[in-house]
Structures are given as structure tokens and as C-alpha cells.
Amino acid sequence: RGKSCRTITFEQFKEALQELSKKRFKGKSDEEALQEIYKLIEGKGPVISGVTKTVASPTVSRLTDTSKFTGSHKERFDSSGKGKGRAGREDLVDNSGYVSGYKHAGTYDHKVQGNK
């Protein structure tokens, strides 16, 4: 494996600890230095460092408040502020066969059966 590989095996991890222990604890024997390294990492997990924290500023909250949106941007969100997805971005065509604005769509069978 080359240096660009992002994963190592447990054996490679132990080898790395041996190398680090020699550099960190120079005055001690290899075994004592390795035991000191084990004490340092015992019971600890990986640490996430350098993660960007979010800033809650009034400007950002004003710009992201969907209740203040107007025009076509307002159509992209429902009343709770949740995005509608594709329905909010595109005009979805009604291919039902009825004329746009017809209020009694789907009532044909009811009307025909009611006349009998």
C-alpha cells in the first residue's frame, strides 16, 4: 500500500505505534516506550478536529427564514417551511385530459350512473 491509501490494518497500526513510541519516549527501552504509548491511547477513540462550527447570526437566520420568501421562491416551500422538492421548482403538467380550471374532474362516471 502506498502513502495515499487512507486505511491501514491493525498490524500496520501496531507498527506505527512502535515507531511513535521510539520517537516520543527516547530515554526508555522499546518495550517501556510502547507501554507508555498504550497508556496514552487506552480507552480513547478517534478525535474529530477542525470541524466547522455553524454560526447562528441574525443575518443568516433572516435570509434562511422561508416564511419571508416572496414570488416564485415562496412556491418552493410548504406552510411549515419544508421544501417541496421538484414540485416547487418546476411547473408540473396535469395530463388528466381535463381542461385547466375545470372543477368537476373525475365526476363523469358519477353523473352518468346518476342519470339511470
Side-chain angles (χ1 to χ4, degrees):
R1 294 184 181 235
K3 288 186 176 183
S4 64
C5 185
R6 306 197 91 199
T7 58
I8 61 172
T9 64
F10 185 64
E11 292 302 320
Q12 291 170 327
F13 176 71
K14 290 197 300 191
E15 289 173 25
L17 287 181
Q18 288 174 348
E19 294 295 321
L20 285 172
S21 65
K22 291 176 190 174
K23 291 179 182 177
R24 171 112 170 145
F25 303 102
K26 291 181 182 175
K28 299 188 177 192
S29 71
D30 290 349
E31 187 58 37
E32 287 177 322
L34 191 58
Q35 292 305 318
E36 290 293 325
I37 282 283
Y38 288 157
K39 286 179 187 175
L40 285 175
I41 65 170
E42 186 176 356
K44 296 182 181 173
V47 178
I48 300 174
S49 62
V51 177
T52 306
K53 303 226 182 332
T54 58
V55 178
S57 71
T59 307
V60 173
S61 62
R62 181 177 58 85
L63 291 172
T64 56
D65 184 5
T66 58
S67 67
K68 306 260 191 290
F69 287 4
T70 60
S72 62
H73 302 291
K74 186 176 189 173
E75 300 300 319
R76 294 183 59 198
F77 302 93
D78 61 10
S79 58
S80 68
K82 189 172 187 306
K84 292 182 184 176
R86 183 175 171 215
R89 292 189 307 272
E90 299 175 5
D91 290 335
L92 300 179
V93 179
D94 179 20
N95 291 327
S96 67
Y98 285 93
V99 178
S100 65
Y102 181 65
K103 294 180 177 63
H104 305 291
T107 60
Y108 177 76
D109 291 334
H110 177 70
K111 287 181 181 179
V112 171
Q113 291 173 357
N115 290 337
K116 290 184 179 179

